[in-house]
Amino acid sequence: MFKKSTFVIALLIILNSCVVQRKVLEMDDWYAFTKTNTAQQEPSKVYEFADGMIRMHGEDPSCLMTKKSYKNFELTLEYRWNLEEKYKIKGTKNSGVMYNIPLGASDKIWPKGIQFQIKENTTGDFIFLDQVTAKVNGKLVEAGASVVSPKFLENENPYGEWNIVVIKSFNGKIKQYLNGKLVNECTEASSTEGKISLNYERSPIDFRNITIKNISKD
């Protein structure tokens, strides 16, 4: 009886250790900074948090940055363009999700790292910022201040509808998904871990259901 109980307890411990925990990123996990004030600010003083959403609008370009650094992760979130008349602006709608931002990188618009571009007609592009490089289709991307590697598939939903973004980053191999389809990928990224940010580029946008989990394979 003792041996059987011991075996069951050991099995439960093993199974529990194999469970991958998905963490919901909440307001306390972030800080904010703006183009005109790069001091770390309380998120609620820069953005609107309502109905389970982070609502970004206003005149000043800004970032919502995680306090922690992440490596080998799967990030999932939803976004939609805010089409309310009171927030409406002219021009191309533009935003982005950055990741693998080194802990030592300066808080600025825009920091060193890799961006999942969210922009009319180019959502899913890679943008490699501040000398970050990677291989796309086996070819090394040239280092630069801001280098674009275009998506290979268009899959953004119509304006006003929610879109699902998934980013998988594992030891320099990165896959970017939009609404369930792989839209871009690279290998040998020179930045493999770091903070995550949601970029506000003066296009009103909503984010929700932001979660992250550790992964052990690509």
Side-chain angles (χ1 to χ4, degrees), residues 44-104:
S44 60
K45 293 182 178 179
V46 181
Y47 308 111
E48 179 185 354
F49 289 76
D51 302 320
M53 296 181 288
I54 302 168
R55 313 204 77 183
M56 294 180 160
H57 48 79
E59 292 298 319
D60 208 2
S62 58
C63 280
L64 187 63
M65 184 83 70
T66 59
K67 297 174 182 176
K68 292 183 178 180
S69 176
Y70 299 91
K71 183 176 182 180
N72 296 341
F73 62 85
E74 178 181 302
L75 174 70
T76 302
L77 57 83
E78 296 176 54
Y79 79 89
R80 70 176 180 188
W81 299 113
N82 184 337
L83 302 180
E84 293 180 50
E85 192 64 33
K86 61 182 176 180
Y87 300 132
K88 210 167 190 179
I89 64 166
K90 295 180 180 179
T92 302
K93 293 177 177 59
N94 191 11
S95 182
V97 178
M98 286 195 65
Y99 53 96
N100 292 353
I101 302 167
L103 275 174

Side-chain angles (χ1 to χ4, degrees), residues 139-158:
K139 184 178 179 181
L140 185 66
V141 174
E142 185 176 350
S146 179
V147 181
V148 178
S149 183
K151 69 185 185 314
F152 49 75
L153 183 68
E154 174 71 43
N155 202 38
E156 188 173 9
N157 288 333

